[in-house]
Amino acid sequence: MINNKGDSCVGEQTIKQSKAIYWASGIVSVCGIIFEVLFGAAGSYLLGDGVKQYTLTISLFLTGMGIGATISERVTKNLILSFVWIEYLIGIIAGSSTFLLFGISAFLSEGTDAFFLYAITLVVGALTGVELPILIRKANDIGVTLKKSTARVLFSDYAGGLIGGLLFVYLLRPEFGLVKTAFLVAVINVVIALWILLYFKKELQTFKRHFTAGIAILVFLIAGVFFGEEMAFSFEQKLYRDPIIYSETTDYQQIILTKEQGDLRLFLDGQLQFSSSDEYRYHETLVHPAMATAEKRENILVLGGGDGLALRELRKYEEVKAITLVDLDPKVVALGKTNRDLVQLNEKSFEDERVKVLHEDAFKFAEHHSDQFYDVILVDLPDPNNESLNKLYTLEFYQLLRNRLAPGGSLMIQGTSPTFATEVYWTINQTIKEAGLYTENLHVDVPSFGDWGFVLAKREPVKLDQADIFVETKFLTNEVVAGLTTFGKDIDNEIVNDDGQPVSIETNTLMKPTIIEKYEKAWRSY
């Protein structure tokens, strides 16, 4: 009887310990996948080209896991302490990662931030790769067969990965941001380590020393949760010339407003969208040539433009009956409606009863609203610096917009800088032509941007010389518009390479997105 009771107690203890290991493997897997996508998001925000950054960080993280799995073969003793200290290291390194990344971006030379991000990703991936083999080995040591321990730990890992991804997308990133999320998840790693340490306390002679170290690390990370974001904000301020007056990370992008001596500036994912000192040059060129060349000006579509500045110019036309503005991010539009400085700049344009706002992807809107036709379409979207934006500069997208144009209608597209990104600008122009539209090219000097290009397109030949701008403007006149169509020899469509040979312009399509690499290469020098 005594032996049976003893065996029963041992069996119960084995079951409890194995369950603790499975729960630990699932929870640290949640943390691992969150760190993996967190690094991709941080790279996308600070370094641009989201697809590239996610690809690199995921690849490096998985490579690190492979390295870690190999290293784990040498860990055969003190399995619980090895697991605990791996969690401690993940907590310290991964928890501080985004905080340090913002600091490096603010104070060190360009390129250092990318090196740091990739190095951290590889290291954290390697530490994550050591976790599971240790847990599997420990589960096997306490009496669970190797087959069962491996299968169950891996199930906990994979299920945890799904949960981690969903948590990051729908809760952590939008509610806490990148810096606080890193510290919060690191806290979970350390808490799990302390829990496992307590669970296997009887096996450890040096329990107090390791537990005290874990508590100290936990206090550090909790301090990071409460104060890290504020300090990182001061680092982020260094990335901008003027004081930040508004900052928010939305489901789609990072929004920054700065202001200094009356100059209001909007940045999306670190890219300048306008400066209040000269934005009228950009927005007048975006709006009025298209309005002047359209046969009718009753039904207008604006893609992007959530700041309301293009709407301000459109409101000057009494014959306009309806303006549909499509902007993916409701937070940008909310800013345009409520921020005192921005409302003053856009002259309360969202209060116009003719304005209807839809929060949709511009491509999907053009694809699904096939029964709507517009006299003027204005495309005021960010530059094509990633895959999601590239689709809005493709042949397929321009074909959709062509089909939405009413007879005699005009389409105006911002086309980045023909000076800084010459090949990109003329690729956009060529792609629009391939969609079956006639084009006219314009560029304007916007001091905060530099030389900036636009493409005016119609189903019929564009007769810009017959256009009459009759509304009140600060910059544009009929004579000025005529001058905007002249390009210097160094930025015209006769592009040559370094050897003086002509460069052929390819059409940008969904299947072959040629424009992203050109854009990244062009702006790398500026």
Side-chain angles (χ1 to χ4, degrees), residues 282-301:
Y282 173 95
H283 289 101
E284 287 183 3
T285 307
L286 174 73
V287 173
H288 299 306
M291 295 294 281
T293 55
E295 289 185 8
K296 293 194 300 182
R297 292 179 284 269
E298 295 180 357
N299 196 15
I300 315 298
L301 173 64

Side-chain angles (χ1 to χ4, degrees), residues 265-318:
R265 296 187 174 215
L266 172 67
F267 296 83
L268 298 179
D269 284 342
Q271 301 298 313
L272 177 64
Q273 302 303 303
F274 71 77
S275 165
S276 61
S277 64
D278 55 27
E279 55 79 18
Y280 61 89
R281 283 176 162 247
Y282 173 95
H283 289 101
E284 287 183 3
T285 307
L286 174 73
V287 173
H288 299 306
M291 295 294 281
T293 55
E295 289 185 8
K296 293 194 300 182
R297 292 179 284 269
E298 295 180 357
N299 196 15
I300 315 298
L301 173 64
V302 182
L303 301 177
D307 50 38
L309 299 177
L311 294 180
R312 179 196 63 201
E313 298 301 315
L314 289 170
R315 293 178 67 204
K316 297 176 180 179
Y317 295 87
E318 294 182 0

